[in-house]
Amino acid sequence: MTMKDAVGRFVRDGDLVVMEGFTHLIPFAAGHEIIRQKRRDLTLARLTPDLIYDQLIAAGCVKKMIFSWAGNPGVGPLHAFRRAVEKGIPQPLEIEEYTHFGMVLRFMAGASNLPFLPTRNYPGTDLTTVNPNFRKVRSPYSDEELWCVPALFPDVTIVHAQRADEDGNTQVWGLYGVQKEAAFASKRVIVTVEEIVPAKVIRSDPNRTIIPGMIVSAVVPEPFGAHPSFVQGAYDRDNDFYVEWDTVSKDEAGLKKYLDEWVHGVPDRAAYTKKMQDRREALEADRQMCEPVNYGF
Amino acid sequence: MTMKDAVGRFVRDGDLVVMEGFTHLIPFAAGHEIIRQKRRDLTLARLTPDLIYDQLIAAGCVKKMIFSWAGNPGVGPLHAFRRAVEKGIPQPLEIEEYTHFGMVLRFMAGASNLPFLPTRNYPGTDLTTVNPNFRKVRSPYSDEELWCVPALFPDVTIVHAQRADEDGNTQVWGLYGVQKEAAFASKRVIVTVEEIVPAKVIRSDPNRTIIPGMIVSAVVPEPFGAHPSFVQGAYDRDNDFYVEWDTVSKDEAGLKKYLDEWVHGVPDRAAYTKKMQDRREALEADRQMCEPVNYGF
Amino acid sequence: MADYTTSELMVSRAAKELKSGDVVFVGIGVPSLAVNLAYRMHAKDLCMIYESGAVGCVPTRLPISIGDPCLVTGSLAVVPMLDVFNLYLQGGKIDVGFLGGAQVDRFGNINSTVIGDYRKPKVRLPGSGGACEIAALAKRVVITISNSKRTLPEKVDFVTSPGYLRGGREREALGLQGGPDLVITDMGVYHFDPQTRELVLESLHPGITLETIRDNTGWPLKTAPTLKETPEPSAEEIRIVRDELDPQGIFLRSRAG
Amino acid sequence: MADYTTSELMVSRAAKELKSGDVVFVGIGVPSLAVNLAYRMHAKDLCMIYESGAVGCVPTRLPISIGDPCLVTGSLAVVPMLDVFNLYLQGGKIDVGFLGGAQVDRFGNINSTVIGDYRKPKVRLPGSGGACEIAALAKRVVITISNSKRTLPEKVDFVTSPGYLRGGREREALGLQGGPDLVITDMGVYHFDPQTRELVLESLHPGITLETIRDNTGWPLKTAPTLKETPEPSAEEIRIVRDELDPQGIFLRSRAG
C-alpha cells in the first residue's frame, strides 16, 4: 500500500496516534504524509516527541500530547513544542506527562489488555501531583503501596522497520524501543519498511519478528522513511539535521519555510529522498553482518 | 567452570531451584549432577516438571514442587511425580500449583522486583480455591477486580543455551520459554551451554542476548547438555526416550535402574554422551541457516 | 463409503470449525491434526500458535509435543511465553482455542487436574498448563473428549478451565467473554444452549444411536429438535490425514477412538 | 600544570566515582565522557547501559544521542525498553546512575520539568525522560550541574527526580533506597550529610574560592571540616578525552564550563 493510501485509510481526525521509535526507526515519512493530508485534533503519544511531533505541532495537527521527554536529543529544546505550551502557538497544546518507564508500562498494559500496571517508581516526584492518572494500589501480599499507570490504547500506531513480508510480519534489529508494545495495544497498525522481503526471509529467522502480520492494517514500502533518524544497517542518524533543526525551528517563519519546502513541497518520500540524494549517500551504513545461526533440527 | 564445581558452589540443600526451558533447552545435565551430589529438601519450580524433575523426585532430592503442568509431553503421566503425590514415595511431595500464564507472571514479577502482577485470567477456576497465593486486587481506574500471582524469587536458576561468552553473556534462538525472566528473578544463575564462543560472536548480534553476564554466577560448557530435550540448530528432541521413559519410570525398580546406569553410573555428561554416541549422531540437526542482518551504521 | 476411524471423523469435524484468517491456539493430538487438515483443505490463511511461542508454524512433520523443533523452523515468529499469554491470548488476538481434558461437564467446565479430592486425589492429572487461560481468554473454545459417564459427568471433580460454570450468565458475571462453543466426542457433536449454556447434542456419528450416547453421558441429555448425522470425512481428508499428517499413525491408530 | 577546561575537570572527577564491575546507567555529555574515561583509565570491566536498550556498549565514536547507532554495533546486548526499566533498573542491577538537570536543591532533588509554575511555566523543560526512575531505582546517583543561584536553589520549582526530598529519613520512609551520593559542579564537589541529607561541600576546584561558591549557591552552604581541592585531571586523562573521546570538542569546547 502507498503511504498516501495507508494514512488516508487508517489515520483519522481526532485519533490517538502513536508513532514510536526510540531515536531509531522514527517514522518521519508517515508524519510528513499526515501533515500533507491535514489531519486535525490529533492526540499524539510518544516517549520522546522528537522532531517528528515538533513538526506535527507546528503544522497545526495536534490538540494534545502524551509524552515523557520533549527535547531535541543531544541539541536542546523543541521550539515548536515550547511555543505551543508557553504561548499557545499555533494553538494551545494540552499535555499529559509521564516518564519513560511510565510510558513503556502504559503501552505494555494496553498490549496486555490490562487496566493498569504497577511499579516501584514515583514516590517523591511531583509528577504524580500534576497528573491524576498516577494512582496507587495496595499489594494483596503485603502492606506495600505501589504507584500505577493506566493502560494506553491508541487508535493507530505507526512504526518503521528494516523489513517485513507483504502480510506485515515485521522484523527489527538494533534498538527495539517500545514498538512491539505500542502496536499490540493499538486498534490499527501501520508498518512502514525499508524493504518488503519474501516471507521466506522472515521465516528464516523467526526470532527477529517483533510484530506479526495478524495485527497489521497496512504495510508500506518506504526506503529512507526514517530520515533524519536512523535505521541500523541501512543509514546513520543525520545529526547535522538535528543540530540545524534548532535554527530552522527557532521561529515560526523558519519552520513554515521548512514544511513548505520539505513536506508540502514534495509529493512523497521518494521525491524527498531524491531532493537530498547526496546527503543520503553520505549517511549510507557500512556492512557489519552478524554471525548467522542454525534453525535446523 | 565444570558442572561439578558449578552445582557444588551454587546449588545448596533447601534451595528454591528453577531449571527452565519449555521443551527446548532443558538443563538435564545439571539435573543429573544435582542428583549425583545428593542435594536434599529442594523446592523445585518449573512450568512443566518434565522428565528432569521426575528424575529429581525419584532420587529423593525434592521436598516441594511449584508447577503448572506435570506430564510427559505427548506421552502420558509422570510416574515418579504421581507416586510421590498419591503414595508419598520416596517421600511426600508438597505441591503448589498454578497455570502456565501464572508461572510466567510469577517469574516476571520476580525479575521486575515487584510483589505481584495482575491478570484477567482465573475467574471461575477452582485453582484459586486450593492455592491461597492467588489473590485479588481492585483496579484504581475502575471497579474491576483482577486476580494476581505473587513474585517468585528463586535462590538459583539454571538454564541451558546454544552459546555464551566466558563472561556469561548468553544467546538463545528458537523457543525462548521463560528463561530470561527466571534468571533475572534469581539470586544466582548458572548457564550451561552447547558452546563457549568468543565475545565477538556475541557482539556480532546483540539482539540475540537474553541473559547478560552481569547476572550470571557460572558458565558451564556442556555439549549435549539438554538431552533428551532438544537444542534448535544442534540436536533434535529424543522423542523415543520420552516414550521409553513411560516404561522405565512405571515402577520404582526400573527408575532406580535408570538412575544407577545413566546418572550415578557416569561421572559427567561427557561420559553420558559417549555412552549414547550413536543416538547422538541420529539426533544431529540439519543446517537451516538464517539470513544474516547488518548491524553497521 | 470410505473406511475411517472415529478419531479421523473427529479430526474432520473439528477442522470444519476453522476458517481462513483464524488465529488458532493449537494443542497436540486431534487439535493439531484438525488445524493442519483445515490448513490444507480450506483455511490457507489460518495462523497456528502454540503456547511454546511459535507463531505461523508450517510443521514439516507431525509435532509430537507443543514445543517440537519443527514448529520453530520456518515459522513467522517465535516469541517469549510472556508475549504468548500477555499479548496474544490476554490481548485478545486468539480466535479459536482447542482444549481436551479428563472430564467435561454439563456446562462445559473442564477438569484436567484431579479425579477425586484435590488433597487426596484418586488420580493426579497433569494440571492446567495453558488450558485455564485459553478457556478464559480465547474468543472461542472447541473441546474434544471421549464420550462416557466418567468423562462427561454432570459436574467435574475440579474446574481447571472455566466453561459456563453453573450455566446461565454466570460466566459473563465473572467478567469472562468467549467460552466453549462446541464439544466433539467419539460419539457425537454438542453445542451450548444460548440461554442455559447446557450441552445440547446436535449430531450423532454414523452408527451411534441416541440410546448409546445417553447411556454414556452423566446427566439427562438434551438434544436438538432435529438430530443430524455427523458428516463423514471425505476420501481426500482421510488421505491427507493418513499420508501427510500422521503417516506413522502416532495419534490416529494407537489412539483410535 | 596541565591546561584543561572545567568540563574536563568534571569529567575526570566523575570518572573517579566508577570502579571495575560497576553497571552504569549512562546519559549523554559529561556522564558519557566520564564513563568512557573511567573505562579506558581504570575500570575495564565496567558495563555501560543506555536507556535506549544498549548494554555493554563499546562506542567507536562519541555518541551524540543516547540512541546513537554506535552504541548498538558490537554491544553485548540490545534489549526492549521494557526490559531496561523492569529488569535492569527496577530489578536492581544498576550500580550507578548519572543525572543532570536545570535545578538541584539543598537535598539533592532534581528539576528537569519546568521553571515557574507547572501550569503556566516560565520555561518549559524537556521533562523526566528516564531521570525519575533512575533517581528512584538506581543503587547510587551522581549528579553533574553548573553552580549558580539559579541552578542550585534552596528548593527546586518542581521535583522531577527525587533526591532526599525534605531531608532526613523522608526518602526511606517513602520506600526508596539508594539516592544521590555526589554532586559535581563547575566550581566544586558535594556529598550528602548522612543525617540531614543536605549537600555538603567537600572540595573546591582549583582557583575557586569558598566565597565565590557561596555567592553561587541558593542557600547557606555547609562545608566539610577540611575543604580539599578537587584533583586536577592528569595529562593522560586530558589526552584521552581530547584525542579519543571528544576529538571534535562537541561537548567539551562548545560547552566548556
Side-chain angles (χ1 to χ4, degrees):
Chain A
M1 194 178 293
T2 65
M3 184 69 82
K4 191 183 252 74
D5 295 345
V7 168
R9 284 185 55 187
F10 298 111
V11 183
R12 298 154 197 173
D13 289 351
D15 273 356
L16 168 44
V17 180
V18 172
M19 306 170 73
E20 260 304 340
F22 193 81
T23 68
H24 185 212
L25 299 167
I26 302 176
F28 274 93
H32 285 186
E33 183 57 28
I34 290 172
I35 293 173
R36 276 191 293 266
Q37 293 194 23
K38 301 193 164 44
R39 288 290 177 279
R40 290 294 177 264
D41 301 319
L42 302 178
T43 295
L44 298 182
R46 208 181 124 75
L47 276 66
T48 61
D50 203 89
L51 276 43
I52 188 173
Y53 283 7
D54 213 36
Q55 293 171 3
L56 282 151
I57 290 167
C61 307
V62 191
K63 173 186 67 186
K64 177 179 179 179
M65 192 162 75
I66 303 169
F67 72 102
S68 46
W69 192 83
N72 179 343
V75 179
L78 289 176
H79 296 293
F81 164 74
R82 280 182 57 172
R83 272 193 296 273
V85 173
E86 296 171 10
K87 307 198 188 75
I89 297 172
Q91 63 196 55
L93 180 70
E94 186 188 343
I95 62 169
E96 185 180 317
E97 187 167 4
Y98 297 87
T99 70
H100 283 352
F101 194 6
M103 287 295 289
V104 171
L105 290 176
R106 292 200 69 192
F107 285 126
M108 185 57 182
S112 307
N113 189 30
L114 290 170
F116 69 94
L117 278 171
T119 171
R120 291 194 181 279
N121 196 15
Y122 300 128
T125 177
D126 286 342
L127 281 166
T128 58
T129 67
V130 295
N131 181 348
N133 280 348
F134 289 100
R135 299 189 189 167
K136 283 184 173 177
V137 70
R138 181 175 296 281
S139 167
Y141 300 93
S142 66
D143 287 345
E144 295 174 287
E145 277 199 323
L146 298 168
W147 283 100
C148 302
V149 291
L152 187 66
F153 298 101
D155 293 305
V156 56
T157 288
I158 306 176
V159 304
H160 190 72
Q162 281 101 337
R163 66 188 183 194
D165 65 20
E166 58 187 8
D167 297 327
N169 296 291
T170 304
Q171 298 192 328
V172 165
W173 54 95
L175 300 175
Y176 287 128
V178 290
Q179 284 94 308
K180 179 179 71 180
E181 294 79 9
F184 270 92
S186 195
K187 291 191 196 71
R188 305 183 291 275
V189 176
I190 299 174
V191 174
T192 75
V193 291
E194 288 297 311
E195 187 186 13
I196 303 259
V197 297
K200 70 171 177 20
V201 173
I202 301 297
R203 292 183 181 275
S204 83
D205 199 353
N207 285 127
R208 286 210 201 274
T209 304
I210 62 158
I211 297 175
M214 70 179 76
I215 67 168
V216 174
S217 313
V219 195
V220 178
E222 196 69 294
F224 207 54
H227 177 272
S229 76
F230 70 100
V231 174
Q232 200 80 37
Y235 42 91
D236 195 358
R237 188 166 185 265
D238 190 344
N239 290 317
D240 295 343
F241 187 98
Y242 276 81
V243 172
E244 290 155 15
W245 185 253
D246 191 61
T247 317
V248 167
S249 62
K250 234 184 200 75
D251 59 79
E252 298 161 69
L255 208 158
K256 180 175 182 311
K257 189 164 162 302
Y258 171 82
L259 294 178
D260 288 343
E261 179 177 0
W262 289 97
V263 181
H264 300 297
V266 294
D268 54 25
R269 176 72 24 161
Y272 170 103
T273 306
K274 195 120 150 286
K275 207 168 140 67
M276 57 168 68
Q277 197 50 43
D278 50 353
R279 200 149 184 171
R280 185 193 182 167
E281 280 151 19
L283 294 167
E284 182 94 21
D286 61 357
R287 278 174 63 85
Q288 301 199 44
M289 307 305 287
C290 71
E291 299 265 341
V293 302
N294 183 9
Y295 277 94
F297 61 86
Chain B
M1 195 180 288
T2 65
M3 185 69 81
K4 192 183 250 69
D5 294 344
V7 168
R9 283 185 55 186
F10 297 111
V11 183
R12 299 155 195 173
D13 288 350
D15 272 356
L16 168 45
V17 180
V18 172
M19 307 170 73
E20 262 302 341
F22 194 80
T23 69
H24 185 212
L25 298 169
I26 303 176
F28 273 93
H32 286 185
E33 183 58 27
I34 289 172
I35 292 172
R36 276 191 292 267
Q37 294 194 23
K38 301 192 163 45
R39 287 291 175 281
R40 289 296 177 264
D41 301 319
L42 301 178
T43 295
L44 298 182
R46 208 180 125 77
L47 275 67
T48 61
D50 204 88
L51 277 45
I52 187 173
Y53 284 6
D54 213 35
Q55 293 171 1
L56 282 151
I57 289 166
C61 307
V62 190
K63 172 186 67 184
K64 177 179 178 178
M65 192 163 74
I66 303 169
F67 71 103
S68 46
W69 191 84
N72 179 343
V75 179
L78 289 176
H79 295 295
F81 164 74
R82 280 183 57 172
R83 273 193 296 273
V85 173
E86 296 171 9
K87 307 199 186 74
I89 300 171
Q91 65 195 55
L93 180 70
E94 185 187 346
I95 62 170
E96 185 180 316
E97 187 167 5
Y98 297 86
T99 69
H100 284 352
F101 194 5
M103 287 295 288
V104 171
L105 290 176
R106 292 200 67 191
F107 285 126
M108 186 56 182
S112 306
N113 189 30
L114 290 170
F116 69 94
L117 276 170
T119 170
R120 290 192 181 280
N121 196 14
Y122 301 127
T125 177
D126 286 340
L127 281 166
T128 57
T129 67
V130 296
N131 181 348
N133 281 349
F134 289 100
R135 298 189 189 167
K136 283 185 174 175
V137 70
R138 182 175 297 279
S139 166
Y141 300 94
S142 66
D143 287 346
E144 295 174 286
E145 277 200 324
L146 298 168
W147 283 100
C148 303
V149 291
L152 188 66
F153 298 102
D155 294 304
V156 56
T157 288
I158 306 176
V159 304
H160 190 72
Q162 281 101 336
R163 67 189 184 193
D165 65 19
E166 58 186 9
D167 296 329
N169 296 291
T170 304
Q171 299 192 327
V172 164
W173 54 97
L175 300 175
Y176 287 128
V178 290
Q179 285 94 308
K180 179 179 71 181
E181 293 79 7
F184 270 92
S186 196
K187 292 190 193 70
R188 305 182 290 274
V189 176
I190 299 174
V191 174
T192 74
V193 291
E194 288 296 311
E195 187 187 13
I196 302 260
V197 296
K200 71 171 172 30
V201 174
I202 302 297
R203 292 183 181 275
S204 84
D205 199 353
N207 286 126
R208 288 212 200 273
T209 305
I210 63 158
I211 297 174
M214 71 179 76
I215 67 169
V216 174
S217 312
V219 195
V220 178
E222 196 69 297
F224 208 55
H227 178 272
S229 76
F230 70 100
V231 174
Q232 200 79 37
Y235 42 90
D236 196 357
R237 188 167 184 264
D238 190 344
N239 290 316
D240 296 342
F241 186 99
Y242 275 82
V243 172
E244 291 155 16
W245 185 254
D246 191 60
T247 318
V248 167
S249 61
K250 233 184 202 71
D251 58 78
E252 299 160 71
L255 208 158
K256 181 175 181 313
K257 189 163 161 304
Y258 172 82
L259 294 178
D260 288 343
E261 179 177 1
W262 290 96
V263 180
H264 299 298
V266 294
D268 54 26
R269 176 69 26 158
Y272 170 103
T273 306
K274 194 120 149 288
K275 203 167 144 72
M276 56 167 69
Q277 197 49 42
D278 50 352
R279 199 150 185 168
R280 185 192 184 170
E281 279 152 19
L283 294 168
E284 181 94 21
D286 61 358
R287 277 173 65 84
Q288 301 200 45
M289 305 305 287
C290 70
E291 300 265 341
V293 303
N294 183 10
Y295 277 94
F297 59 88
Chain C
M1 139 188 155
D3 133 81
Y4 57 86
T5 68
T6 307
S7 298
E8 286 163 346
L9 178 79
M10 292 171 73
V11 167
S12 153
R13 179 61 185 81
K16 292 182 175 58
E17 290 303 305
L18 301 169
K19 57 181 196 315
S20 225
D22 277 347
V23 179
V24 186
F25 214 93
V26 191
I28 290 302
V30 167
S32 182
L33 291 161
V35 175
N36 279 280
L37 179 61
Y39 175 71
R40 283 171 169 72
M41 289 294 293
H42 62 274
K44 279 273 150 293
D45 295 341
L46 172 150
C47 178
M48 297 177 216
I49 299 189
Y50 288 75
E51 68 189 7
S52 54
V55 179
C57 309
V58 285
T60 53
R61 70 180 183 197
L62 182 69
I64 301 298
S65 87
I66 54 172
D68 193 297
C70 73
L71 298 172
V72 167
T73 313
S75 64
L76 284 172
V78 174
V79 306
M81 291 185 81
L82 187 70
D83 289 3
V84 171
F85 293 113
N86 264 334
L87 307 190
Y88 286 83
L89 193 48
Q90 188 168 259
K93 315 300 182 200
I94 306 300
D95 297 308
V96 185
F98 277 96
L99 289 174
Q103 298 178 320
V104 174
D105 70 18
R106 187 170 189 162
F107 297 106
N109 304 298
I110 304 172
N111 174 19
S112 53
T113 302
V114 287
I115 302 300
D117 176 63
Y118 184 81
R119 300 284 166 211
K120 302 227 167 321
K122 273 203 224 66
V123 183
R124 171 66 225 199
L125 303 163
S128 164
C132 176
E133 35 267 17
I134 293 168
L137 302 169
K139 290 180 192 161
R140 233 184 117 208
V141 167
V142 175
I143 300 169
T144 57
I145 188 167
S146 65
N147 206 132
S148 72
K149 282 189 150 40
R150 186 176 50 75
T151 53
L152 298 186
E154 176 149 23
K155 194 171 184 337
V156 290
D157 295 7
F158 188 95
V159 178
T160 308
S161 308
Y164 296 105
L165 303 157
R166 286 162 306 180
R169 318 293 301 165
E170 186 170 1
R171 181 183 172 97
E172 290 82 343
L174 289 173
L176 291 175
Q177 281 139 19
D181 198 44
L182 204 77
V183 176
I184 302 170
T185 75
D186 52 349
M187 295 184 178
V189 179
Y190 307 75
H191 62 259
F192 289 84
D193 180 283
Q195 300 311 320
T196 65
R197 302 303 182 73
E198 174 176 346
L199 253 72
V200 176
L201 182 67
E202 69 171 44
S203 79
L204 290 160
H205 296 345
I208 304 291
T209 67
L210 181 54
E211 191 179 17
T212 319
I213 215 165
R214 285 196 197 277
D215 294 344
N216 287 280
T217 305
W219 65 90
L221 187 60
K222 292 223 169 40
T223 63
T226 56
L227 261 184
K228 297 188 253 78
E229 181 177 83
T230 312
E232 300 183 332
S234 69
E236 173 64 1
E237 288 177 318
I238 295 169
R239 188 195 62 73
I240 290 173
V241 168
R242 293 185 186 178
D243 301 353
E244 297 177 18
L245 300 184
D246 189 12
Q248 296 146 284
I250 292 173
F251 293 116
L252 295 190
R253 300 292 144 78
S254 54
R255 303 182 171 189
Chain D
M1 142 191 157
D3 133 83
Y4 57 86
T5 69
T6 306
S7 299
E8 286 163 347
L9 177 78
M10 292 170 72
V11 167
S12 154
R13 180 61 186 82
K16 293 182 172 59
E17 290 302 305
L18 302 170
K19 57 182 196 311
S20 226
D22 277 348
V23 179
V24 186
F25 215 91
V26 191
I28 290 303
V30 167
S32 181
L33 291 161
V35 175
N36 279 280
L37 178 61
Y39 176 71
R40 283 172 170 73
M41 288 294 293
H42 62 272
K44 277 273 150 290
D45 294 341
L46 170 150
C47 178
M48 298 177 217
I49 299 189
Y50 288 74
E51 67 188 8
S52 55
V55 179
C57 309
V58 285
T60 53
R61 71 179 182 198
L62 181 70
I64 300 299
S65 87
I66 53 172
D68 193 298
C70 73
L71 298 172
V72 167
T73 313
S75 65
L76 285 171
V78 175
V79 306
M81 291 184 81
L82 187 71
D83 289 3
V84 171
F85 293 114
N86 263 332
L87 307 189
Y88 287 82
L89 192 47
Q90 189 169 255
K93 314 301 182 200
I94 305 300
D95 297 308
V96 185
F98 276 97
L99 290 173
Q103 298 179 320
V104 173
D105 70 18
R106 187 169 187 163
F107 296 105
N109 304 298
I110 303 173
N111 175 18
S112 54
T113 302
V114 286
I115 302 300
D117 175 64
Y118 184 80
R119 300 285 165 210
K120 303 229 170 317
K122 271 201 223 68
V123 184
R124 172 66 225 198
L125 304 163
S128 165
C132 175
E133 36 268 16
I134 294 169
L137 302 169
K139 290 180 192 161
R140 231 184 119 208
V141 167
V142 175
I143 300 169
T144 57
I145 188 166
S146 65
N147 206 131
S148 73
K149 281 186 153 31
R150 186 175 50 76
T151 53
L152 298 187
E154 174 147 24
K155 194 173 184 335
V156 289
D157 294 9
F158 188 96
V159 178
T160 308
S161 309
Y164 296 105
L165 303 156
R166 285 162 306 177
R169 318 292 299 167
E170 186 171 359
R171 181 184 172 97
E172 290 83 344
L174 289 173
L176 291 175
Q177 282 138 18
D181 198 43
L182 203 76
V183 176
I184 302 171
T185 75
D186 51 349
M187 294 184 178
V189 179
Y190 307 75
H191 62 258
F192 289 85
D193 180 283
Q195 301 311 320
T196 65
R197 302 304 181 77
E198 175 176 345
L199 255 74
V200 176
L201 181 67
E202 69 172 42
S203 79
L204 289 161
H205 296 345
I208 303 291
T209 67
L210 181 54
E211 189 179 18
T212 316
I213 214 164
R214 286 196 194 279
D215 293 345
N216 287 279
T217 305
W219 65 90
L221 185 60
K222 290 220 169 42
T223 62
T226 56
L227 261 185
K228 299 190 250 74
E229 179 176 82
T230 312
E232 297 183 333
S234 69
E236 173 63 0
E237 288 177 318
I238 295 170
R239 189 195 61 73
I240 291 172
V241 168
R242 292 185 185 178
D243 301 353
E244 297 176 18
L245 301 183
D246 189 10
Q248 296 146 285
I250 291 171
F251 292 115
L252 295 192
R253 302 291 144 77
S254 54
R255 302 183 172 189

